[in-house]
Amino acid sequence: MKVTAFGEIMLRLSPDNHDRFMQENNFRAYFGGSEANTLIALSSLGINTSFVTKLPENDIADACIRELKGSGVETAFISRGGRRIGIYYCENGTSVRCGKVIYDRQFSSISEAGKTDFRWEEILQNTDIFHFTGITTALSDSLVEITLEAVKKAKEKGITVSCDLNYRRTLWSEEKANGIMKKFMPYVDILFANTGSALDVFGIGGKDDKEVMAKLSEEFGIKTIAFTTRECRSADENTLGGILLADGKFYASKKTEVNIVDRVGGGDCFDAGILYGIISGFSPEETVEFANICNVYKHTVRGDFCRLNAEEIKAVCSGESDGRIKR
Protein backbone atom coordinates (compact mmCIF):
# COMPACT_ATOMS: atom_id res chain seq x y z
CA MET A 1 0.00 0.00 0.00
CA LYS A 2 1.17 3.49 -0.82
CA VAL A 3 0.08 6.84 0.63
CA THR A 4 0.74 10.02 -1.38
CA ALA A 5 0.27 13.45 0.22
CA PHE A 6 0.25 16.97 -1.19
CA GLY A 7 1.04 20.12 0.76
CA GLU A 8 3.60 22.60 2.02
CA ILE A 9 6.66 21.71 4.05
CA MET A 10 8.25 24.59 5.93
CA LEU A 11 11.25 25.57 7.96
CA ARG A 12 10.26 25.81 11.62
CA LEU A 13 12.21 28.06 14.00
CA SER A 14 11.63 27.67 17.75
CA PRO A 15 13.21 29.01 20.92
CA ASP A 16 14.68 26.26 23.10
CA ASN A 17 12.47 24.69 25.75
CA HIS A 18 9.72 27.11 26.77
CA ASP A 19 11.54 30.37 26.10
CA ARG A 20 9.67 33.24 24.48
CA PHE A 21 10.38 34.85 21.12
CA MET A 22 11.19 38.16 22.77
CA GLN A 23 13.80 36.73 25.15
CA GLU A 24 15.69 34.25 22.96
CA ASN A 25 18.50 34.99 20.51
CA ASN A 26 18.97 31.41 19.35
CA PHE A 27 16.31 29.44 17.51
CA ARG A 28 16.34 25.71 16.83
CA ALA A 29 15.56 24.78 13.22
CA TYR A 30 13.29 21.92 12.17
CA PHE A 31 11.30 21.05 9.07
CA GLY A 32 7.60 20.46 9.31
CA GLY A 33 4.14 20.73 7.83
CA SER A 34 0.92 18.80 8.29
CA GLU A 35 1.01 16.45 5.31
CA ALA A 36 4.74 15.78 5.63
CA ASN A 37 4.29 15.09 9.35
CA THR A 38 1.70 12.42 8.56
CA LEU A 39 3.93 10.81 5.92
CA ILE A 40 7.00 10.75 8.21
CA ALA A 41 4.93 8.92 10.83
CA LEU A 42 3.51 6.48 8.27
CA SER A 43 6.92 5.82 6.77
CA SER A 44 8.36 5.03 10.20
CA LEU A 45 5.51 2.55 10.65
CA GLY A 46 6.59 0.78 7.46
CA ILE A 47 4.13 2.26 4.95
CA ASN A 48 5.30 3.25 1.46
CA THR A 49 4.89 7.04 1.16
CA SER A 50 5.41 9.82 -1.38
CA PHE A 51 5.35 13.59 -0.78
CA VAL A 52 4.33 16.11 -3.44
CA THR A 53 5.17 19.80 -3.06
CA LYS A 54 7.20 22.59 -4.64
CA LEU A 55 10.47 23.87 -3.20
CA PRO A 56 13.01 26.43 -4.37
CA GLU A 57 16.41 25.59 -5.81
CA ASN A 58 18.60 26.33 -2.79
CA ASP A 59 20.54 24.62 -0.01
CA ILE A 60 17.75 24.87 2.57
CA ALA A 61 15.33 23.08 0.26
CA ASP A 62 18.02 20.50 -0.51
CA ALA A 63 18.40 19.85 3.23
CA CYS A 64 14.63 19.49 3.54
CA ILE A 65 14.48 16.91 0.76
CA ARG A 66 17.41 15.05 2.29
CA GLU A 67 15.54 14.78 5.60
CA LEU A 68 12.44 13.46 3.86
CA LYS A 69 14.49 10.89 1.96
CA GLY A 70 16.29 9.92 5.15
CA SER A 71 12.92 9.19 6.71
CA GLY A 72 11.94 6.89 3.85
CA VAL A 73 9.58 9.29 2.07
CA GLU A 74 9.70 9.30 -1.74
CA THR A 75 10.57 12.76 -3.10
CA ALA A 76 10.63 12.09 -6.84
CA PHE A 77 7.56 14.27 -7.46
CA ILE A 78 8.72 17.37 -5.62
CA SER A 79 8.74 20.22 -8.12
CA ARG A 80 11.62 22.73 -7.90
CA GLY A 81 11.52 26.47 -8.48
CA GLY A 82 9.95 29.60 -7.08
CA ARG A 83 11.19 32.13 -4.56
CA ARG A 84 11.45 30.56 -1.12
CA ILE A 85 10.55 27.91 1.41
CA GLY A 86 7.83 28.93 3.85
CA ILE A 87 8.82 29.57 7.46
CA TYR A 88 6.91 29.42 10.70
CA TYR A 89 7.96 30.41 14.18
CA CYS A 90 6.70 28.29 17.06
CA GLU A 91 6.80 29.22 20.74
CA ASN A 92 5.85 26.40 23.13
CA GLY A 93 3.53 27.37 25.93
CA THR A 94 3.69 26.29 29.54
CA SER A 95 1.35 26.45 32.53
CA VAL A 96 -1.25 29.16 31.78
CA ARG A 97 0.74 30.61 28.86
CA CYS A 98 -0.49 29.34 25.49
CA GLY A 99 1.78 28.33 22.65
CA LYS A 100 2.09 30.71 19.72
CA VAL A 101 2.69 30.32 15.97
CA ILE A 102 3.70 33.09 13.56
CA TYR A 103 3.56 32.28 9.83
CA ASP A 104 5.93 33.69 7.24
CA ARG A 105 4.86 31.78 4.16
CA GLN A 106 3.76 34.44 1.66
CA PHE A 107 5.41 34.00 -1.76
CA SER A 108 6.57 30.47 -0.89
CA SER A 109 7.25 28.21 -3.85
CA ILE A 110 4.23 26.00 -3.24
CA SER A 111 1.82 28.92 -2.75
CA GLU A 112 2.80 30.26 -6.19
CA ALA A 113 2.80 26.85 -7.91
CA GLY A 114 0.89 26.30 -11.15
CA LYS A 115 -0.91 23.32 -12.65
CA THR A 116 2.04 22.47 -14.88
CA ASP A 117 4.21 21.79 -11.80
CA PHE A 118 2.39 18.52 -11.04
CA ARG A 119 1.73 15.58 -13.35
CA TRP A 120 -1.08 13.91 -11.43
CA GLU A 121 -1.50 11.01 -13.84
CA GLU A 122 2.10 9.97 -13.16
CA ILE A 123 2.15 11.02 -9.49
CA LEU A 124 -0.89 8.94 -8.56
CA GLN A 125 0.24 5.81 -10.33
CA ASN A 126 0.34 2.92 -7.83
CA THR A 127 -1.08 5.14 -5.07
CA ASP A 128 -3.74 3.66 -2.78
CA ILE A 129 -4.51 6.68 -0.55
CA PHE A 130 -4.22 10.38 -1.42
CA HIS A 131 -4.00 12.72 1.60
CA PHE A 132 -4.37 16.51 1.77
CA THR A 133 -5.46 19.13 4.30
CA GLY A 134 -7.37 22.39 4.41
CA ILE A 135 -4.10 24.18 5.07
CA THR A 136 -2.97 23.60 1.49
CA THR A 137 -6.18 24.92 -0.03
CA ALA A 138 -5.94 28.02 2.21
CA LEU A 139 -2.59 29.11 0.77
CA SER A 140 -3.68 30.36 -2.67
CA ASP A 141 -6.49 30.19 -5.22
CA SER A 142 -4.20 28.31 -7.59
CA LEU A 143 -3.63 25.61 -4.97
CA VAL A 144 -7.39 25.17 -4.64
CA GLU A 145 -7.56 24.34 -8.35
CA ILE A 146 -4.46 22.15 -8.25
CA THR A 147 -5.70 20.16 -5.25
CA LEU A 148 -9.17 19.80 -6.77
CA GLU A 149 -7.58 18.42 -9.93
CA ALA A 150 -5.64 15.93 -7.80
CA VAL A 151 -8.64 14.63 -5.86
CA LYS A 152 -10.73 14.31 -9.02
CA LYS A 153 -7.96 12.34 -10.70
CA ALA A 154 -7.62 10.18 -7.58
CA LYS A 155 -11.32 9.33 -7.62
CA GLU A 156 -11.14 8.49 -11.33
CA LYS A 157 -8.44 5.97 -10.45
CA GLY A 158 -10.36 4.48 -7.52
CA ILE A 159 -7.90 5.90 -4.98
CA THR A 160 -9.11 6.54 -1.42
CA VAL A 161 -9.06 10.27 -0.62
CA SER A 162 -8.19 11.37 2.90
CA CYS A 163 -8.66 14.95 4.16
CA ASP A 164 -7.88 16.73 7.41
CA LEU A 165 -9.86 19.98 7.74
CA ASN A 166 -7.02 21.59 9.75
CA TYR A 167 -8.65 25.02 9.84
CA ARG A 168 -6.14 27.85 10.40
CA ARG A 169 -7.91 31.14 11.08
CA THR A 170 -4.74 33.14 10.35
CA LEU A 171 -4.74 31.83 6.77
CA TRP A 172 -8.33 32.38 5.71
CA SER A 173 -11.81 33.30 6.92
CA GLU A 174 -14.52 30.87 7.96
CA GLU A 175 -16.62 32.02 5.00
CA LYS A 176 -13.89 31.33 2.44
CA ALA A 177 -13.00 28.00 4.03
CA ASN A 178 -16.66 26.97 3.94
CA GLY A 179 -17.09 27.80 0.27
CA ILE A 180 -13.91 26.04 -0.80
CA MET A 181 -13.89 22.94 1.42
CA LYS A 182 -17.48 22.08 0.45
CA LYS A 183 -16.19 21.63 -3.11
CA PHE A 184 -13.87 18.87 -1.90
CA MET A 185 -16.24 16.87 0.29
CA PRO A 186 -17.87 14.86 -2.57
CA TYR A 187 -14.44 13.33 -3.25
CA VAL A 188 -13.45 12.58 0.37
CA ASP A 189 -13.62 9.05 1.78
CA ILE A 190 -11.88 9.61 5.13
CA LEU A 191 -12.34 12.90 7.01
CA PHE A 192 -10.22 14.04 9.97
CA ALA A 193 -11.48 16.92 12.10
CA ASN A 194 -12.62 17.96 15.56
CA THR A 195 -15.61 19.84 16.90
CA GLY A 196 -13.84 23.18 16.53
CA SER A 197 -12.90 22.79 12.86
CA ALA A 198 -16.31 21.32 11.95
CA LEU A 199 -17.98 24.41 13.41
CA ASP A 200 -15.48 26.88 11.94
CA VAL A 201 -15.50 25.45 8.42
CA PHE A 202 -19.01 24.06 7.99
CA GLY A 203 -21.00 25.68 10.78
CA ILE A 204 -21.88 22.20 12.04
CA GLY A 205 -22.15 21.86 15.81
CA GLY A 206 -23.86 19.60 18.33
CA LYS A 207 -24.11 18.57 21.95
CA ASP A 208 -21.09 16.26 21.66
CA ASP A 209 -18.48 14.86 19.26
CA LYS A 210 -20.65 11.99 18.09
CA GLU A 211 -23.54 14.24 17.12
CA VAL A 212 -21.20 16.48 15.10
CA MET A 213 -19.66 13.47 13.37
CA ALA A 214 -23.09 12.07 12.53
CA LYS A 215 -24.13 15.42 11.04
CA LEU A 216 -20.95 15.57 8.94
CA SER A 217 -21.56 12.05 7.67
CA GLU A 218 -25.17 12.83 6.79
CA GLU A 219 -24.32 16.17 5.17
CA PHE A 220 -21.50 14.91 2.95
CA GLY A 221 -22.03 11.15 2.71
CA ILE A 222 -18.62 10.39 4.27
CA LYS A 223 -18.64 7.01 6.03
CA THR A 224 -15.27 7.20 7.81
CA ILE A 225 -14.70 10.17 10.10
CA ALA A 226 -12.12 10.49 12.88
CA PHE A 227 -12.01 13.15 15.60
CA THR A 228 -9.34 13.94 18.15
CA THR A 229 -10.47 15.04 21.61
CA ARG A 230 -8.47 17.11 24.07
CA GLU A 231 -9.00 18.14 27.69
CA CYS A 232 -6.55 20.86 28.77
CA ARG A 233 -5.53 21.32 32.39
CA SER A 234 -2.66 23.56 31.32
CA ALA A 235 -0.33 24.04 28.35
CA ASP A 236 1.80 21.22 29.83
CA GLU A 237 -0.84 18.67 30.81
CA ASN A 238 -3.58 17.43 28.49
CA THR A 239 -5.79 14.36 28.25
CA LEU A 240 -6.06 13.02 24.70
CA GLY A 241 -8.58 10.76 23.05
CA GLY A 242 -10.00 9.80 19.70
CA ILE A 243 -13.37 8.85 18.21
CA LEU A 244 -13.86 6.94 14.97
CA LEU A 245 -17.07 6.69 12.97
CA ALA A 246 -16.92 3.62 10.72
CA ASP A 247 -19.69 1.53 9.18
CA GLY A 248 -22.29 3.65 10.96
CA LYS A 249 -20.88 2.91 14.43
CA PHE A 250 -18.81 4.97 16.87
CA TYR A 251 -15.63 3.73 18.50
CA ALA A 252 -13.84 5.70 21.22
CA SER A 253 -10.29 5.25 22.47
CA LYS A 254 -9.34 5.31 26.12
CA LYS A 255 -8.39 8.77 27.33
CA THR A 256 -4.67 9.17 27.99
CA GLU A 257 -2.93 11.83 30.05
CA VAL A 258 0.28 13.30 28.64
CA ASN A 259 2.92 15.70 29.89
CA ILE A 260 3.65 17.80 26.82
CA VAL A 261 7.07 18.34 25.31
CA ASP A 262 5.76 19.62 21.94
CA ARG A 263 2.17 19.27 20.74
CA VAL A 264 2.67 20.46 17.14
CA GLY A 265 2.02 17.60 14.74
CA GLY A 266 0.01 15.49 17.18
CA GLY A 267 -3.10 15.52 15.01
CA ASP A 268 -1.00 14.59 12.00
CA CYS A 269 0.27 11.52 13.86
CA PHE A 270 -3.32 10.69 14.80
CA ASP A 271 -4.15 10.79 11.07
CA ALA A 272 -1.21 8.48 10.41
CA GLY A 273 -2.41 6.07 13.08
CA ILE A 274 -5.91 5.88 11.62
CA LEU A 275 -4.56 5.33 8.09
CA TYR A 276 -2.10 2.72 9.37
CA GLY A 277 -4.88 0.85 11.18
CA ILE A 278 -7.06 0.85 8.07
CA ILE A 279 -4.19 -0.30 5.84
CA SER A 280 -3.18 -3.00 8.35
CA GLY A 281 -6.68 -4.40 8.70
CA PHE A 282 -7.12 -3.47 12.36
CA SER A 283 -10.60 -3.49 13.84
CA PRO A 284 -12.12 -0.03 14.33
CA GLU A 285 -11.52 -0.33 18.10
CA GLU A 286 -7.85 -1.19 17.55
CA THR A 287 -7.47 1.53 14.93
CA VAL A 288 -8.71 4.43 17.07
CA GLU A 289 -6.74 3.23 20.10
CA PHE A 290 -3.57 2.95 18.03
CA ALA A 291 -4.14 6.41 16.51
CA ASN A 292 -4.65 8.05 19.89
CA ILE A 293 -1.39 6.65 21.24
CA CYS A 294 0.39 7.86 18.09
CA ASN A 295 -0.94 11.32 18.95
CA VAL A 296 0.20 10.93 22.58
CA TYR A 297 3.69 9.85 21.47
CA LYS A 298 4.07 12.92 19.27
CA HIS A 299 3.39 15.15 22.29
CA THR A 300 6.55 13.70 23.90
CA VAL A 301 8.85 14.54 20.96
CA ARG A 302 10.28 17.95 20.10
CA GLY A 303 9.83 19.20 16.52
CA ASP A 304 7.10 18.51 13.97
CA PHE A 305 8.19 15.02 12.96
CA CYS A 306 7.71 11.89 15.05
CA ARG A 307 9.23 8.58 14.00
CA LEU A 308 6.83 6.01 15.41
CA ASN A 309 7.51 2.38 16.28
CA ALA A 310 4.47 0.15 15.77
CA GLU A 311 5.46 -2.32 18.47
CA GLU A 312 5.95 0.49 21.02
CA ILE A 313 2.54 1.91 20.18
CA LYS A 314 0.88 -1.52 20.42
CA ALA A 315 2.55 -2.13 23.79
CA VAL A 316 1.12 1.11 25.20
CA CYS A 317 -2.28 0.23 23.75
CA SER A 318 -2.04 -3.04 25.66
CA GLY A 319 -1.42 -1.20 28.95
CA GLU A 320 2.37 -1.04 29.05
CA SER A 321 2.64 2.64 29.90
CA ASP A 322 4.63 2.99 33.12
CA GLY A 323 7.53 4.75 31.36
CA ARG A 324 10.22 2.44 32.71
CA ILE A 325 13.58 2.23 30.98
CA LYS A 326 13.84 -0.83 28.75
CA ARG A 327 17.24 -2.54 29.06
Side-chain angles (χ1 to χ4, degrees), residues 11 73 167 212 225 249 288:
L11 179 67
V73 177
Y167 177 69
V212 175
I225 301 176
K249 296 180 180 179
V288 72

Side-chain angles (χ1 to χ4, degrees), residues 81-325:
R83 308 190 208 186
R84 55 176 298 220
I85 187 171
I87 298 172
Y88 86 96
Y89 301 85
C90 181
E91 178 184 287
N92 286 316
T94 186
S95 187
V96 297
R97 175 165 60 83
C98 298
K100 183 184 295 185
V101 166
I102 298 173
Y103 288 127
D104 177 20
R105 55 205 304 179
Q106 191 175 15
F107 308 120
S108 67
S109 294
I110 183 66
S111 69
E112 296 187 324
K115 288 188 175 183
T116 57
D117 286 310
F118 308 105
R119 306 179 305 278
W120 291 114
E121 183 70 38
E122 181 181 353
I123 290 168
L124 295 173
Q125 193 171 7
N126 301 319
T127 290
D128 299 284
I129 297 174
F130 177 75
H131 181 69
F132 74 103
T133 79
I135 297 172
T136 302
T137 54
L139 295 178
S140 69
D141 292 340
S142 63
L143 279 177
V144 173
E145 297 306 315
I146 292 168
T147 310
L148 197 55
E149 180 185 356
V151 298
K152 287 179 178 179
K153 180 63 67 174
K155 294 307 292 183
E156 286 176 14
K157 292 179 168 293
I159 295 168
T160 298
V161 174
S162 163
C163 172
D164 192 325
L165 284 184
N166 263 347
Y167 177 69
R168 299 291 186 264
R169 63 183 70 253
T170 56
L171 296 179
W172 56 355
S173 67
E174 293 175 6
E175 292 75 18
K176 187 169 184 179
N178 178 284
I180 289 174
M181 293 310 295
K182 278 185 174 179
K183 296 178 181 179
F184 287 90
M185 291 304 102
Y187 306 98
V188 172
D189 301 293
I190 302 170
L191 180 65
F192 296 102
N194 55 38
T195 53
S197 60
L199 185 62
D200 289 337
V201 177
F202 297 125
I204 294 176
K207 67 179 185 296
D208 57 26
D209 295 280
K210 291 180 180 179
E211 183 177 337
V212 175
M213 296 170 80
K215 287 181 178 179
L216 284 170
S217 181
E218 182 179 0
E219 176 79 16
F220 300 115
I222 301 172
K223 296 182 179 179
T224 303
I225 301 176
F227 271 25
T228 53
T229 67
R230 182 186 298 272
E231 300 166 14
C232 299
R233 288 188 301 282
S234 71
D236 305 288
E237 296 178 300
N238 287 185
T239 300
L240 304 178
I243 303 175
L244 175 64
L245 172 61
D247 302 321
K249 296 180 180 179
F250 292 98
Y251 305 88
S253 74
K254 295 189 289 289
K255 293 184 177 181
T256 304
E257 295 182 2
V258 60
N259 296 317
I260 299 171
V261 173
D262 189 334
R263 63 177 279 178
V264 177
D268 306 321
C269 280
F270 179 84
D271 295 359
I274 293 289
L275 296 177
Y276 179 79
I278 291 171
I279 290 169
S280 302
F282 291 0
S283 69
E285 296 96 333
E286 293 169 328
T287 297
V288 72
E289 194 66 44
F290 187 91
N292 184 50
I293 299 304
C294 289
N295 185 8
V296 169
Y297 254 58
K298 171 59 200 70
H299 281 64
T300 70
V301 176
R302 200 173 305 283
D304 273 49
F305 297 156
C306 185
R307 280 81 175 180
L308 300 169
N309 180 295
E311 297 310 311
E312 285 183 352
I313 302 300
K314 290 175 184 177
V316 176
C317 291
S318 299
E320 190 178 315
S321 58
D322 57 15
R324 294 182 182 181
I325 298 174

